[in-house]
Amino acid sequence: AAGADGFRFDAAKHIETTEGEDAGQSWKGTFWTNVLGALAGKNLYLYGEVLPDTGDNHEVYTNYFDITAHGYIWTVLNAVNNKNLSGIANYNRQTSTLDPAKSLCYIENHDSYQDGSTASQSYWTRKMANAVLIARPGITTLVLDRPNEDLWKDADIVAMNVFHNKMSGTSEYLRWAGNETLVVERGNLGVAIINTGSSSKSISVATSLANGTYANHASQATSMTVSNGTLSGTIPAGNVVVLYGTGTVTTPASPA
């Protein structure tokens, strides 16, 4: 009632349930059913900090709320730093993968920044890594605003967020134009392209987009062409390109 749109539950995996590995144990408890029952019908976004560990019972927590895809941080950061995006498809935890519809994904959060584990990651690396996340469907993404820095206001991150919301409800098809360049096609409505390479990249890939010329909605002034099922053009070095047709999609009432 005070205006909150959702809640993050800190250290959620340390609060027991009555299911999975907790079932029948002396420590089992009904905390989550009690608390979440009181929030029922409030249309809130809920996620819990369930970091990967042996016996973390994470499958059960996804019955209650989205959980943190913490292991995916390093999959994407390493991919961007190594300029090889070929291994980013699965939302990995430790030895398992997460359903994107139950995942809260980020490249950096307050803990990883404060404890130094991601503090050395450059602005460019974090921007490109966040672009990879935001381009994809199903997941909920979080962009950390470091002190004295406004990454979330970066023109390319803004363009990616608009794309993410406009593409709500569409599937994805991942293509690679060389390891350094990821093409994320969202149904037949739009395409986001992330080029981590140190030089511009000319691409020609299959697409479901309608024929026409598509202007980049991100910061770089460029355009790409679709002709008879082929998307072609040049992606600027170390940049993103965001394509969708003006007037062909509408922004949903709430984020994807």
Side-chain angles (χ1 to χ4, degrees), residues 97-164:
T97 59
L98 283 177
D99 176 355
K102 299 301 298 181
S103 301
L104 184 284
C105 293
Y106 48 82
I107 292 304
E108 180 174 60
N109 73 350
H110 59 285
D111 285 328
S112 67
Y113 173 68
Q114 185 63 34
D115 69 20
S117 57
T118 58
S120 65
Q121 300 293 325
S122 72
Y123 183 95
W124 176 85
T125 296
R126 288 178 286 115
K127 180 172 87 165
M128 299 299 284
N130 273 294
V132 171
L133 293 188
I134 298 168
R136 306 191 63 194
I139 61 174
T140 299
T141 57
L142 179 153
V143 178
L144 180 74
D145 196 28
R146 286 187 179 184
N148 303 312
E149 179 191 277
D150 283 325
L151 176 60
W152 69 284
K153 291 184 179 180
D154 185 286
D156 292 325
I157 295 297
V158 171
M160 290 301 308
N161 279 325
V162 171
F163 173 84
H164 185 87

Side-chain angles (χ1 to χ4, degrees), residues 8-240:
R8 171 189 184 271
F9 295 103
D10 189 57
K13 75 172 182 180
H14 299 296
I15 303 174
E16 64 280 349
T17 72
T18 59
E19 306 168 67
E21 296 176 21
D22 296 332
Q25 301 295 336
S26 60
W27 61 74
K28 69 179 181 179
T30 57
F31 176 87
W32 294 116
T33 53
N34 292 342
V35 170
L36 301 185
L39 296 177
K42 303 295 186 184
N43 194 30
L44 300 169
Y45 178 69
L46 308 175
Y47 81 94
E49 184 192 34
V50 182
L51 302 184
D53 199 357
T54 303
D56 57 25
N57 211 21
H58 75 270
E59 299 90 346
V60 169
Y61 291 104
T62 60
N63 294 330
Y64 296 110
F65 38 65
D66 287 5
I67 66 173
T68 47
H70 192 78
Y72 198 53
I73 291 176
W74 300 107
T75 296
V76 180
L77 279 175
N78 290 336
V80 171
N81 283 318
N82 294 329
K83 296 178 169 48
N84 184 350
L85 303 178
S86 62
I88 58 84
N90 292 326
Y91 301 96
N92 60 293
R93 279 178 55 76
Q94 195 172 46
T95 58
S96 62
T97 59
L98 283 177
D99 176 355
K102 299 301 298 181
S103 301
L104 184 284
C105 293
Y106 48 82
I107 292 304
E108 180 174 60
N109 73 350
H110 59 285
D111 285 328
S112 67
Y113 173 68
Q114 185 63 34
D115 69 20
S117 57
T118 58
S120 65
Q121 300 293 325
S122 72
Y123 183 95
W124 176 85
T125 296
R126 288 178 286 115
K127 180 172 87 165
M128 299 299 284
N130 273 294
V132 171
L133 293 188
I134 298 168
R136 306 191 63 194
I139 61 174
T140 299
T141 57
L142 179 153
V143 178
L144 180 74
D145 196 28
R146 286 187 179 184
N148 303 312
E149 179 191 277
D150 283 325
L151 176 60
W152 69 284
K153 291 184 179 180
D154 185 286
D156 292 325
I157 295 297
V158 171
M160 290 301 308
N161 279 325
V162 171
F163 173 84
H164 185 87
N165 292 342
K166 283 183 177 292
M167 299 301 120
S168 178
T170 63
S171 59
E172 73 173 358
Y173 194 94
L174 302 180
R175 297 180 174 91
W176 287 265
N179 288 335
E180 72 278 9
T181 305
L182 173 67
V183 181
V184 184
E185 184 166 79
R186 297 293 302 275
N188 62 358
L189 295 184
V191 172
I193 306 170
I194 298 96
N195 178 22
T196 60
S198 54
S199 59
S200 60
K201 180 78 172 182
S202 295
I203 69 170
S204 181
V205 297
T207 185
S208 297
L209 293 183
N211 288 348
T213 299
Y214 292 77
N216 181 22
H217 290 272
S219 64
Q220 296 295 301
T222 188
S223 63
M224 301 191 72
T225 302
V226 175
S227 178
N228 299 322
T230 299
L231 172 67
S232 57
T234 300
I235 314 303
N239 267 287
V240 302

